[in-house]
Amino acid sequence: MEREITEEKLRRYFRITEEALRTLEIAVHQKSLLRSVADDFLTMAKSYFEDAKYYYEKGDYVTAFAALNYAHGFIDAGVRLGVFKGEDDRLFAFG
């Protein structure tokens, strides 16, 4: 059982989350009532991703890892809700 957050593990999760952000598509029409949900989830995912980079640069791997998990949580929640299109099961829990 792993008990530490290594730089290798962090870099792996950064790559996965960055690729997920780059490839996901908003799946609801601009005029849909769910569009604001999609926009909010995407904003939160990007914000947490940026937070993760900030904490990584400071050497705070624990907080960086937590922020990456929040970022990816918003991505996966959006896919599950159907506001994001995410087909690749390497990147999306519900793809």
Side-chain angles (χ1 to χ4, degrees):
M1 176 187 296
E2 294 184 47
R3 298 188 60 121
E4 66 182 73
I5 300 167
T6 63
E7 186 162 356
E8 179 183 329
K9 181 177 275 192
L10 263 179
R11 287 183 183 200
R12 179 175 170 260
Y13 281 91
F14 268 112
R15 282 192 305 271
I16 291 168
T17 303
E18 185 173 36
E19 188 175 351
L21 282 169
R22 194 174 58 249
T23 61
L24 74 77
E25 298 174 32
I26 293 180
V28 292
H29 191 273
Q30 185 73 28
K31 294 182 180 182
S32 167
L33 294 175
L34 289 175
R35 183 57 185 240
S36 65
V37 173
D39 292 339
D40 287 346
F41 277 30
L42 187 55
T43 296
M44 293 301 291
K46 288 179 177 180
S47 295
Y48 276 113
F49 186 73
E50 292 302 315
D51 288 349
K53 290 194 288 189
Y54 170 80
Y55 287 109
Y56 173 77
E57 292 298 320
K58 288 184 66 165
D60 184 348
Y61 287 8
V62 171
T63 306
F65 190 67
L68 280 171
N69 280 280
Y70 270 95
H72 220 99
F74 274 100
I75 293 167
D76 287 339
V79 172
R80 178 71 171 174
L81 186 60
V83 298
F84 296 151
K85 186 175 178 182
E87 304 291 327
D88 188 336
D89 64 0
R90 291 177 314 107
L91 304 174
F92 309 103
F94 302 103

